[in-house]
Amino acid sequence: MPRRVRAVSHEDQLTLVEHLDELRHRLVVCLVVFAVALALCFWQNHLLLEIAQSPLPSGHKKLITFGVTEPFTTTLTVSAYGAAVLSAPFILWELYAYVLPAFSPSEKRVVLPILLLFPILFIGGVAFAYFAVMPAALHFLLGFNDNQFNIQVRARDYYSFFSMTMLAGGLIFQLPMLILAVTRLGIVKVEQITKNRRYAYLIIAIVAAALPGVDPVSMLIEMVPLLVLFELSILLARWFGRPSEGAGAAEPTTQE
């Protein structure tokens, strides 16, 4: 079966089979990239483990495992998390390349700058979670009633907690992109967001409580940047979030 390798434009009319063939091709490419990243991360698994263990207090650096296979399976899981982060930019690009032809040229001018914010905010959220949330949360959790318990940290549980915290930090930092997108596309007005600010604060508190950490210290640490990001999102939406006047008027003529 011949494979189409050229880029798809907005004017192209593709059949369902052609769409599915393009999707299959991009999924295969993403799987190959992830497999290469996984091999690289497994090769450098000692470095990944050291990076993940760095936020732990000095007395808990030596993690424990149960069972014969747990060291291998835990190392493989950490390598998979690292491969997901390493291959994420390429996978996201493949997703954007598949979806972007559906947008008109005027819509692309709105969407593309917003998409560029995603990796920047994601990296910023991961860095905040690593350098701010993890040390404070571990200090509180491992020090809570430590004279009453023989606290030992299991490797599988710790790496799962670490990975979920990193992922949550990257995702919550997408708040400005979300608000900028809905205001720039004209779905919600900035005035509606500012009018319902108190409800947004309540939702932010609930989200911070639901994030990994389960302790008041990490909840407060995660809630503060959410509030700052929300207010920053309103400012960005006021400056750049107004839908362009010409974009909406141009679409009917294109369809006709």
Side-chain angles (χ1 to χ4, degrees), residues 247-256:
E251 291 303 322
T253 58
T254 304
Q255 299 296 331
E256 294 175 359

Side-chain angles (χ1 to χ4, degrees), residues 58-80:
S58 57
H60 297 278
K61 294 291 187 181
K62 195 70 172 180
L63 305 179
I64 62 173
T65 58
F66 298 102
V68 177
T69 62
E70 189 168 335
F72 174 78
T73 57
T74 302
T75 301
L76 184 61
T77 302
V78 174
S79 300

